[in-house]
């Protein structure tokens, strides 16, 4: 299989799949991006050895041998049975990628988008194979929060849908069939309004992000507050989602950009977001 995009979640999908015994090509657009991917994979080895039962003793490290890194899209998908797309949450970028893939991938290849908010119907006409196209959405930290939401369109072949359910199980996920199209699927239909509400409180000057997190953790017993979740997800993805929303959503996108993104505060991946993750001097 091939995973397109080596960001936070794309690298996790590729690594979890390789850890489960599958050969994976991990694609991104440049050698610079692949350098960052190597760093993410090395970090995942350490995370799995610490947090995943059975991963110690070399099993996690061995998963790296099943991953091939490539910046050549044609080579990456040349013999793929399944392509999972995990590129930035921008409709035009995804549509252009699928239009290219339609000519490069073999007829047998199933395409699956990991889009967190876009409907597969927004993309299916670009794929050249709407019967073999659907959404397969993972949660961040997939070795721990191991749901995989499977959602097709009215043109998705039911047999393809069933194959993706089987694949999700084979890589240690809990498949969640979504029976008709819903922007945000199940997880993000719950999560995105929650994060937006927190951002509205902070951007509006009602409370500090850290205090908003305290309220949520103390009052609900949740392990993380919304701004801690932002840092785990990375601020770029919610920024892109907000940027394509209504006027209020765009104002929240501007707040994220001006106060955090423009300063390089993108979340855990960069060492700082709403919180600092840099080692103390």
């Amino acid at each position: 299989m091939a995973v397109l995009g080596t960001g936070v979640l794309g690298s996790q999908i590729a690594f979890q799949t390789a850890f489960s015994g599958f050969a994976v090509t991990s694609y991104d657009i440049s050698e610079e991006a692949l350098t960052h991917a190597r760093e993410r994979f090395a970090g995942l080895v350490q995370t799995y050895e610490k947090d995943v039962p059975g991963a110690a003793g070399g099993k996690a490290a061995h998963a790296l041998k099943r991953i091939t890194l490539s910046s050549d899209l044609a080579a990456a998908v040349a013999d793929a049975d399944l392509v999972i797309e995990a590129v930035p949450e921008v409709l035009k970028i995804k549509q252009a990628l699928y239009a290219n893939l339609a000519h490069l991938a073999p007829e047998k290849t199933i395409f699956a988008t990991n889009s967190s908010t876009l409907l597969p119907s927004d993309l299916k006409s670009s794929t050249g194979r709407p019967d073999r196209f659907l959404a397969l959405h993972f949660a961040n930290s997939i070795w721990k929060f191991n749901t995989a939401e499977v959602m097709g369109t009215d043109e998705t072949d039911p047999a393809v849908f069933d194959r993706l359910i089987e694949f999700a199980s084979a890589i240690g996920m809990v498949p969640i069939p979504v029976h008709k199209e819903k922007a945000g699927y199940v997880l993000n239909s719950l999560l995105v309004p929650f994060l937006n509400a927190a951002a509205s409180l902070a951007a509006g000057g009602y409370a500090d992000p850290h205090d908003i997190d305290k309220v949520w953790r103390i009052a609900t017993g949740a392990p993380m507050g919304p701004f801690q979740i932002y840092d785990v997800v990375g601020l770029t993805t919610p920024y892109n989602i907000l940027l394509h929303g209504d006027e209020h959503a765009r104002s929240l996108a501007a707040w994220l950009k001006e106060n955090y993104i423009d300063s390089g505060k993108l979340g855990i991946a960069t060492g700082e977001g709403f919180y600092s993750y840099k080692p103390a001097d």
Side-chain angles (χ1 to χ4, degrees), residues 158-180:
V160 169
F161 189 96
D162 290 343
R163 284 184 69 188
L164 264 289
I165 293 284
E166 293 171 3
F167 170 76
S169 294
I171 62 169
M173 300 294 104
V174 177
I176 307 296
V178 182
H179 302 297
K180 57 183 180 179

Side-chain angles (χ1 to χ4, degrees), residues 23 28 34 37 61 68-69 75 102 122 126 130 167 173 176 191 201 205-206 208 215 217 226 241-242 255 271:
D28 218 315
L34 295 182
T68 301
L69 290 162
D122 295 332
S126 303
F167 170 76
M173 300 294 104
I176 307 296
L191 180 60
L201 288 170
Y206 297 102
D208 179 83
V215 168
R217 292 196 308 267
I241 294 169
L242 289 165
W255 175 76

Side-chain angles (χ1 to χ4, degrees), residues 20-253:
S20 302
F22 291 84
V24 183
T25 299
S26 185
Y27 164 84
D28 218 315
I29 58 174
S30 69
E31 288 303 320
E32 181 182 3
L34 295 182
T35 296
H36 292 304
R38 290 183 183 93
E39 294 170 356
R40 288 193 178 97
F41 288 137
L44 286 168
V45 169
Q46 296 178 4
T47 297
Y48 273 57
E49 287 178 342
K50 182 177 67 173
D51 296 340
V52 178
K59 183 178 178 181
H62 190 72
L64 293 177
K65 296 181 179 180
R66 300 191 189 98
I67 299 175
T68 301
L69 290 162
S70 177
S71 58
D72 183 334
L73 183 61
V77 304
D79 193 37
D81 296 305
L82 171 65
V83 169
I84 298 177
E85 166 267 308
V87 304
E89 197 74 349
V90 178
L91 180 60
K92 289 183 179 179
I93 291 176
K94 291 181 185 285
Q95 287 173 329
L97 175 63
Y98 281 112
N100 201 8
L101 280 176
H103 302 291
L104 296 176
E107 185 178 341
K108 67 173 182 176
T109 309
I110 295 170
F111 293 164
T113 180
N114 182 57
S115 172
S116 56
T117 55
L118 297 172
L119 294 173
S121 286
D122 295 332
L123 301 166
K124 68 178 183 179
S125 62
S126 303
T127 68
R129 57 191 77 193
D131 60 323
R132 280 163 290 154
F133 173 68
L134 71 176
L136 179 61
H137 179 247
F138 298 84
N140 196 15
S141 301
I142 67 174
W143 63 91
K144 179 168 53 175
F145 306 124
N146 60 327
T147 59
E149 298 170 285
V150 182
M151 182 170 75
T153 73
D154 57 359
E155 294 187 61
T156 303
D157 185 337
V160 169
F161 189 96
D162 290 343
R163 284 184 69 188
L164 264 289
I165 293 284
E166 293 171 3
F167 170 76
S169 294
I171 62 169
M173 300 294 104
V174 177
I176 307 296
V178 182
H179 302 297
K180 57 183 180 179
E181 285 189 282
K182 173 72 172 72
Y185 312 77
V186 177
L187 176 59
N188 282 312
S189 291
L190 298 168
L191 180 60
V192 170
F194 170 62
L195 296 182
N196 288 353
S200 294
L201 288 170
Y206 297 102
D208 179 83
H210 292 195
D211 287 333
I212 294 168
D213 279 357
K214 286 177 189 175
V215 168
W216 186 255
R217 292 196 308 267
I218 293 169
T220 68
M224 291 191 293
F227 293 101
Q228 290 171 292
I229 295 172
Y230 268 118
D231 280 356
V232 171
V233 172
L235 274 61
T236 302
T237 295
Y239 169 75
N240 284 330
I241 294 169
L242 289 165
L243 197 60
H244 294 85
D246 60 17
E247 184 178 352
H248 177 62
R250 292 193 297 274
S251 73
L252 295 180

